[in-house]
Amino acid sequence: MRSHRKPDSFNKKEGIGTMDVVAIGETLLSLTPAENGLLRHAESLKPKVAGAETNTLIGLSRLGHRTGWISAVGNDEIGERIIATVRGEGIDTAHVKKDEEHNTGIFFKEIIGSGEVRVQYFRAGSAASHMDSTDLPASYIRSAKYLYITGITPALSETCKQMIFEAIKLARESGVRVVFDPNLRRKLWGEEEARTTLTSLCELSDIVLIGGTEGKFLFGTTETDEIAHRLFKSPQTGLVVVKKGASGAAYALRGREAFQVEAYPVTTVIDPVGAGDGFAAGFLSGMLHGLKTEESIRMGCAVGAMVTMVSGDYEGMPDERRLHSFLSRDREDIER
């Protein structure tokens, strides 16, 4: 049985006016059939708020961290719903712009069964895709401990891509650690542009959280040692974490060999979407609390597992009490 003691570092000491994590990205309205199956057979749709960056911020907020979101939504009811939902989860939305000229994006999500999920986007030309470097609040980014970005935002438009590179520059100038999840979305851009841009962003980041399929796409391998060897050629990257889903995760620190961290098995996966965002939330929470790298990754695996057991992108994100209860349980109990 694995025990997880709540360390003294969980008693947070925050500076006034600082953010633990600031993220930049688009959040949309997700429309999902009330019953699993093909969209063509749906008689009703359930609207939910969904976005990779806000999923992670919500997870962090529920775990007691101060988080801020930089984005844009349309001046429409969908945008109002998104802001109200995100703000209601304790995330600072002071730097979310309301665009008078462009609408908030939406997408349809089909959960067909046995974990099979299909997504169709209607986000081209959205308010968020029109963001540019002038939308970056420099002092806000500099106030953070971590800047969290994904590869989705630079895929939205050329101006968004330039904005992300500028945000990283601002962070690095101020000693803010950059955490990057490539979060590959093939539907949003061409393969050559995606590979070139995402590789560059990996090389500019302090910590890279990458999936096995993304490692294969970017570097031609799923092996942690090989991905790390490639990224450690950059003087910036110091930690590479390879997410392996049901197999857990592996990680490599600069100058050290790779290590494997076991997954928390889940018998029934209700909705796999958001698991990677949950992993990022759990991992960053551990890092913010001063835990060792392996324990932070273990927390990431736990939160990712918990997210898959609930329908919705972020609804399964736990608070501290639920997470510590989950971490202290025997693995056989988790499977029942």
Side-chain angles (χ1 to χ4, degrees):
M1 179 174 178
R2 185 183 300 277
S3 63
H4 186 87
R5 182 178 62 84
K6 185 173 179 179
D8 294 339
S9 57
F10 269 78
N11 296 319
K12 287 187 358 179
K13 295 181 180 179
E14 296 177 320
I16 296 173
T18 63
M19 284 288 168
D20 289 323
V21 180
V22 167
I24 309 168
E26 179 175 32
T27 292
L28 308 94
L29 188 73
S30 166
L31 296 169
T32 307
E35 303 292 335
N36 287 2
L38 297 174
L39 182 62
R40 72 187 72 168
H41 303 304
E43 296 182 354
S44 62
L45 299 170
K46 296 186 292 185
K48 293 188 176 182
V49 170
E53 295 81 10
T54 49
N55 290 344
T56 296
L57 292 179
I58 288 170
L60 283 163
S61 180
R62 290 185 181 181
L63 291 172
H65 301 288
R66 297 185 65 185
T67 61
W69 180 40
I70 301 169
S71 189
V73 298
N75 189 17
D76 49 41
E77 284 301 308
I78 296 175
E80 293 291 347
R81 177 174 183 142
I82 289 172
I83 290 176
T85 300
V86 174
R87 184 187 294 137
E89 289 286 347
I91 297 166
D92 180 43
T93 60
H95 295 286
V96 179
K97 180 178 71 175
K98 290 186 180 180
D99 189 325
E100 298 287 346
E101 299 179 3
H102 306 99
N103 295 329
T104 309
I106 64 172
F107 71 95
F108 293 88
K109 181 170 74 173
E110 297 171 291
I111 302 177
I112 298 171
S114 302
E116 182 183 358
V117 178
R118 297 195 307 190
V119 172
Q120 185 174 6
Y121 296 114
F122 291 86
R123 68 198 304 178
S126 67
S129 72
H130 284 84
M131 288 191 294
D132 60 35
S133 297
T134 64
D135 294 312
L136 293 175
S139 61
Y140 194 66
I141 292 173
R142 290 171 178 146
S143 77
K145 297 182 178 76
Y146 290 92
L147 173 66
Y148 177 70
I149 56 176
T150 78
I152 301 172
T153 310
L156 299 179
S157 65
E158 184 63 28
T159 59
C160 282
K161 181 166 69 174
Q162 294 171 1
M163 176 186 66
I164 290 299
F165 279 99
E166 179 63 23
I168 291 176
K169 179 182 177 182
L170 288 170
R172 291 185 61 180
E173 289 173 349
S174 304
V176 177
R177 302 187 77 188
V178 178
V179 181
F180 178 58
D181 183 340
N183 225 321
L184 177 64
R185 296 291 189 270
R186 294 176 185 267
K187 293 182 179 181
L188 297 181
W189 50 1
E191 286 199 5
E192 183 177 352
E193 182 184 8
R195 186 174 288 110
T196 300
T197 304
L198 296 178
T199 301
S200 295
L201 291 170
C202 285
E203 293 170 347
L204 290 171
S205 301
D206 298 283
I207 300 172
V208 177
L209 310 178
I210 188 169
T213 56
E214 293 160 348
K216 185 71 173 177
F217 175 79
L218 294 178
F219 308 115
T221 180
T222 61
E223 295 299 319
T224 305
D225 281 326
E226 295 179 23
I227 295 171
H229 177 72
R230 171 66 178 79
L231 287 178
F232 289 158
K233 291 179 180 179
S234 162
Q236 188 67 25
T237 307
L239 170 62
V240 175
V241 181
V242 180
K243 298 174 289 182
K244 298 185 176 184
S247 298
Y251 72 97
L253 291 158
R254 182 180 291 276
R256 303 183 192 178
E257 64 181 11
F259 293 90
Q260 176 73 29
V261 177
E262 294 180 31
Y264 286 84
V266 176
T267 302
T268 303
V269 174
I270 303 299
D271 186 350
V273 176
D277 306 327
F279 178 93
F283 166 76
L284 280 169
S285 181
M287 296 293 284
L288 285 162
H289 288 317
L291 300 185
K292 293 181 178 180
T293 301
E294 182 173 341
E295 284 302 304
S296 296
I297 293 171
R298 198 179 312 285
M299 283 181 65
C301 289
V303 175
M306 296 177 79
V307 169
T308 68
M309 294 187 283
V310 178
S311 178
D313 288 24
Y314 70 83
E315 283 79 353
M317 297 283 184
D319 57 19
E320 284 188 88
R321 182 187 59 79
R322 288 188 59 238
L323 176 58
H324 288 296
S325 174
F326 185 88
L327 287 167
S328 66
R329 292 162 61 190
D330 190 283
R331 289 179 184 271
E332 291 184 3
D333 292 335
I334 297 170
E335 291 181 302
R336 290 177 185 171

